[in-house]
């Protein structure tokens, strides 16, 4: 039986990435050694890092004046690195989910934080709109996709303060106008690589403007100067990231990814809306995520939630259990998930409906 991987993260990777990484774990670049045991300063691995950075810039059309970094610590470490490096006195945050809330909490340690809007009161089931961003904010922080609650900001904002975005779960899922951002960051374990590496795209000119001293490892300039090699990078995840970047390019780039993701999401959302046994959790259709599709049982079928989970799992659906704060189900439809897997889930939902709805 084929297993369909809807896990929210770590999540499905392209077969190409898995196969090439497995090969390199056994014999990396013809060295006779594993990529896990060669020096990160060897010419073979330096070539991997250089190519990964170059492809990152190519696929996202990153302008001159930006640096791409691969660092450790996860996106959660970025929650403090960002205010450490960018906040002078004040920063603004949009609170659209658990991770946005955690980022905002860390920023409170460094100065005044203005929460411009929040959807917390509604269990983050919509993206707030119509808020004002303080003109004197050092930056405005957003989380573009919310894995737990299934909402997504799908357009690049035009604002008058530096824009910072956590794109952990939707990077490379659509074209991005990087020139509208001061900094973009994310954990790689959704659309890029195994857990262990974090990417950062930072506009060089925004750095070095705060008065505080910054610990060496938390200073972006350290990693720019060291070309992501100040300390030993997470070599296997970086190698895997390069393979995924190659795969994205081979598929036609981020525009092709967006087209496939929109098609996959439409298939599942259409079934959720059609099937009387299920309903979506996001209030506004325009806020629905293309990456994490959350749904629950309709009120009259609530008692069948566990039964459907078992039913779907027995048919190869893996990782569809919703987050405990939302309940129900979550199908993560990242770049590498084939449309056939989405169709298999839809077929499963229809089969379950036929058993219970007369």
């Amino acid at each position: 039986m084929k297993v369909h991987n809807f896990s929210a993260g770590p999540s499905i990777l392209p077969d190409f990435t898995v196969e090439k990484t497995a090969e390199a774990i056994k014999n990396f670049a013809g060295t006779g050694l594993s990529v896990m045991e060669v020096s990160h300063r060897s010419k073979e691995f330096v070539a991997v890092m250089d190519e990964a950075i170059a492809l990152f810039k190519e696929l996202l059309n990153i302008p001159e004046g930006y640096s791409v970094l691969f660092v450790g610590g996860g996106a959660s470490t970025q929650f403090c690195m960002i205010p450490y490096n960018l906040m002078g006195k004040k920063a603004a945050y949009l609170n659209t989910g658990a991770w946005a809330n955690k980022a905002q909490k860390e920023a409170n340690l460094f100065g005044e934080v203005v929460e411009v809007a929040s959807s917390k009161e509604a269990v983050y089931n919509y993206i707030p709109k119509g808020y004002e961003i303080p003109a004197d904010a050092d930056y405005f922080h957003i989380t573009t996709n919310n894995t737990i609650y299934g909402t997504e900001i799908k357009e690049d904002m035009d604002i008058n303060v530096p824009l910072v975005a956590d794109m952990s779960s939707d990077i490379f899922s659509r074209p991005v106008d990087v020139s509208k951002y001061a900094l973009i960051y994310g954990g790689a374990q959704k659309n890029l690589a195994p857990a262990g590496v974090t990417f950062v795209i930072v506009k060089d000119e925004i750095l070095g403007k705060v008065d505080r001293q910054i610990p060496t490892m938390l200073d972006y300039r350290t990693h720019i100067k060291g070309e992501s090699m100040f300390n030993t990078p997470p070599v296997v995840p970086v190698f895997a990231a390069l393979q995924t970047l190659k795969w994205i390019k081979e598929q036609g780039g981020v525009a092709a990814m967006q087209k496939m993701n929109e098609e996959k999401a439409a298939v599942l959302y259409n079934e959720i809306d059609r099937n009387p046994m299920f309903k979506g959790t996001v209030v506004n259709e325009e806020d629905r995520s293309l990456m994490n599709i959350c749904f629950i049982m309709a009120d009259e079928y609530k008692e069948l939630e566990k039964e459907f989970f078992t039913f779907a799992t027995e048919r190869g659906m893996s990782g569809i259990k919703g987050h405990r704060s939302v309940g129900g189900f979550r199908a993560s439809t990242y770049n590498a998930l084939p449309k056939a897997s989405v169709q298999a889930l839809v077929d499963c939902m229809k089969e379950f409906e036929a058993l219970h709805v007369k």
Side-chain angles (χ1 to χ4, degrees):
M1 179 182 68
K2 179 175 174 56
V3 177
H4 303 277
N5 185 2
F6 293 96
S7 176
S11 54
I12 189 169
L13 290 169
D15 290 341
F16 178 84
T17 298
V18 175
E19 290 164 5
K20 291 297 183 182
T21 304
E23 290 172 11
I25 285 174
K26 293 181 178 180
N27 183 359
F28 169 55
T31 61
L33 300 172
S34 170
V35 69
M36 297 187 295
E37 58 186 4
V38 298
S39 169
H40 62 291
R41 300 196 186 280
S42 67
K43 70 179 189 299
E44 291 85 3
F45 188 77
V46 169
V48 167
M49 182 67 81
D50 289 346
E51 187 177 1
I53 290 172
L55 261 180
F56 220 104
K57 291 181 176 181
E58 177 186 338
L59 288 167
L60 291 178
N61 196 26
I62 298 174
E64 292 294 322
Y66 285 80
S67 294
V68 172
L69 306 173
F70 290 111
V71 295
S76 295
T77 299
Q78 297 302 309
F79 295 167
C80 78
M81 279 185 74
I82 288 161
Y84 230 142
N85 285 264
L86 302 186
M87 189 193 295
K89 294 182 179 179
K90 179 191 291 185
Y93 279 69
L94 179 63
N95 186 2
T96 53
W99 299 109
N101 192 55
K102 289 178 180 180
Q104 182 174 313
K105 181 180 177 182
E106 289 297 294
N108 279 307
L109 300 172
F110 297 89
E112 180 185 354
V113 174
V114 178
E115 182 181 85
V116 299
S118 173
S119 50
K120 187 175 183 179
E121 87 291 342
V123 199
Y124 297 118
N125 65 6
Y126 69 96
I127 300 289
K129 301 171 183 70
Y131 48 81
E132 291 187 10
I133 303 168
D136 59 346
D138 295 308
Y139 64 87
F140 176 48
H141 181 284
I142 61 173
T143 303
T144 52
N145 186 72
N146 303 291
T147 56
I148 294 176
Y149 306 97
T151 59
E152 185 177 9
I153 299 169
K154 304 185 187 76
E155 296 182 357
D156 304 314
M157 298 180 180
D158 286 304
I159 61 173
N160 295 321
V161 302
L163 179 60
V164 174
D166 178 352
M167 293 192 182
S168 292
S169 51
D170 61 351
I171 193 72
F172 294 110
S173 69
R174 65 173 179 87
V176 173
D177 185 351
V178 175
S179 69
K180 293 183 177 181
Y181 298 83
L183 190 149
I184 296 170
Y185 70 96
Q189 64 271 17
K190 316 287 187 180
N191 264 332
L192 191 58
V197 67
T198 305
F199 65 85
V200 179
I201 306 167
V202 59
K203 194 172 188 177
D204 299 328
E205 68 179 31
I206 70 168
L207 302 175
K209 295 183 178 181
V210 296
D211 295 330
R212 70 177 65 87
Q213 287 188 312
I214 305 173
T216 303
M217 277 295 290
L218 299 180
D219 191 330
Y220 289 118
R221 293 169 297 179
T222 298
H223 302 288
I224 293 172
K225 184 178 179 181
E227 298 179 321
S228 295
M229 296 275 200
F230 175 77
N231 66 325
T232 307
V235 292
V236 175
V238 170
F239 180 87
L242 173 58
Q243 311 316 307
T244 300
L245 294 171
K246 289 179 177 179
W247 176 82
I248 292 172
K249 183 175 180 177
E250 180 66 25
Q251 303 305 306
V254 289
M257 293 293 105
Q258 181 182 34
K259 183 176 184 292
M260 288 190 291
N261 290 328
E262 288 174 345
E263 290 173 356
K264 289 185 294 186
V267 169
L268 184 49
Y269 279 125
N270 286 344
E271 176 60 18
I272 292 168
D273 293 340
R274 183 208 65 80
N275 196 315
M277 299 195 74
F278 304 95
K279 64 179 181 179
T281 59
V282 177
V283 173
N284 303 315
E285 188 171 330
E286 68 268 21
D287 296 338
R288 285 174 160 182
S289 172
L290 300 182
M291 296 286 96
N292 307 98
I293 299 174
C294 298
F295 58 103
I296 58 177
M297 305 301 297
D299 293 341
E300 59 268 39
Y301 298 105
K302 280 286 187 185
E303 74 281 359
L304 296 176
E305 182 175 303
K306 288 184 179 179
E307 184 178 333
F308 176 71
F309 177 75
T310 301
F311 183 86
T313 301
E314 289 173 347
R315 284 154 181 77
M317 309 303 139
S318 177
I320 64 165
K321 187 176 180 64
H323 191 273
R324 61 185 177 276
S325 61
V326 180
F329 310 98
R330 172 176 54 178
S332 296
T333 53
Y334 298 123
N335 286 347
L337 185 80
K339 189 175 180 179
S341 289
V342 177
Q343 188 60 54
L345 176 56
V346 167
D347 292 344
C348 187
M349 295 164 72
K350 289 180 177 178
E351 186 181 350
F352 196 71
E353 176 193 15
L355 293 174
H356 294 279
V357 180
K358 305 302 180 184

